[in-house]
Amino acid sequence: DAGITQSPRYKITETGRQVTLMCHQTWSHSYMFWYRQDLGHGLRLIYYSAAADITDKGEVPDGYVVSRSKTENFPLTLESATRSQTSVYFCASSESQAGGYEQYFGPGTRLTVT
Amino acid sequence: RKEVEQDPGPFNVPEGATVAFNCTYSNSASQSFFWYRQDCRKEPKLLMSVYSSGNEDGRFTAQLNRASQYISLLIRDSKLSDSATYLCVVNSATNAGKSTFGDGTTLTVKP
């Protein structure tokens, strides 16, 4: 029962490089999310997806691209990394449940842009 | 104004103390509410959902006040292992799958 996984767990990249963070879930949840978390800020939503081929912007989408060709995968790409994108990135998934939409989080990717 | 606001904290309490956190939300049509726990920048994990009638899980009690638009979390008989950041989460009524997280309140329980 793998649940939700992220890779890589740690990444150091240089300014201007493209980098892709991977997220995979085994529950067939409809919804998937990407958040970033920085000191002094809570979790901020970057992009989310309600189903395969349906994505939408969150609070801080600039500089990021997502795709969702398969239900289980939701990669996040930084097209040209900047130092301000140094952060911890969490992927999450959820499915409609009685009482609300509990989100299940991956372990996070710590990204450093030098 | 943020959509979801939490007590700034930090809260430093001795073992055995009772501590309460509040969280206010601005969208009166919000649909569902949760408390998550996050340890040392690890992934957040669901602590409990918050129901209109209030709910209890062991030492933890969650309350929802729709009229005043706030939710609360009460922890009784605090343990060292309760030390963490507690995140308040509110789900949109118009997009039920999308959550808004508060910035979190940090609790440190000391011996």
Side-chain angles (χ1 to χ4, degrees), chain A residues 47-69:
Chain A
Y47 270 95
Y48 68 102
S49 169
D53 297 321
I54 300 174
T55 62
D56 207 350
K57 295 178 180 179
E59 182 185 354
V60 289
D62 293 343
Y64 303 95
V65 175
V66 294
S67 62
R68 190 147 177 229
S69 57

Side-chain angles (χ1 to χ4, degrees), chain B residues 22-56:
Chain B
N22 287 326
C23 168
T24 58
Y25 60 94
S26 59
N27 186 345
S28 61
S30 295
Q31 186 175 52
S32 52
F33 310 88
F34 307 89
W35 283 102
Y36 281 71
R37 170 188 170 133
Q38 185 175 27
D39 294 285
C40 282
R41 305 265 282 172
K42 293 186 177 179
E43 72 270 25
K45 293 183 179 179
L46 181 69
L47 178 66
M48 57 198 305
S49 301
V50 187
Y51 303 119
S52 297
S53 56
N55 46 303
E56 188 174 310

Side-chain angles (χ1 to χ4, degrees), chain B residues 48 54-62 76:
Chain B
M48 57 198 305
N55 46 303
E56 188 174 310
D57 182 3
R59 298 181 293 108
F60 298 83
T61 300
R76 291 181 298 277

Side-chain angles (χ1 to χ4, degrees), chain A residues 31-103:
Chain A
Y31 283 91
M32 296 188 74
F33 309 84
W34 275 106
Y35 297 90
R36 61 176 290 174
Q37 187 173 39
D38 307 292
L39 286 174
H41 294 277
L43 285 161
R44 292 186 289 176
L45 183 65
I46 304 170
Y47 270 95
Y48 68 102
S49 169
D53 297 321
I54 300 174
T55 62
D56 207 350
K57 295 178 180 179
E59 182 185 354
V60 289
D62 293 343
Y64 303 95
V65 175
V66 294
S67 62
R68 190 147 177 229
S69 57
K70 293 183 178 181
T71 299
E72 61 266 31
N73 296 323
F74 191 39
L76 175 74
T77 297
L78 287 67
E79 294 186 296
S80 178
T82 64
R83 289 195 181 89
S84 65
Q85 292 177 311
T86 293
S87 187
V88 179
Y89 291 85
F90 288 105
C91 178
S93 70
S94 74
E95 187 56 88
S96 173
Q97 298 179 9
Y101 289 71
E102 174 185 350
Q103 293 193 22

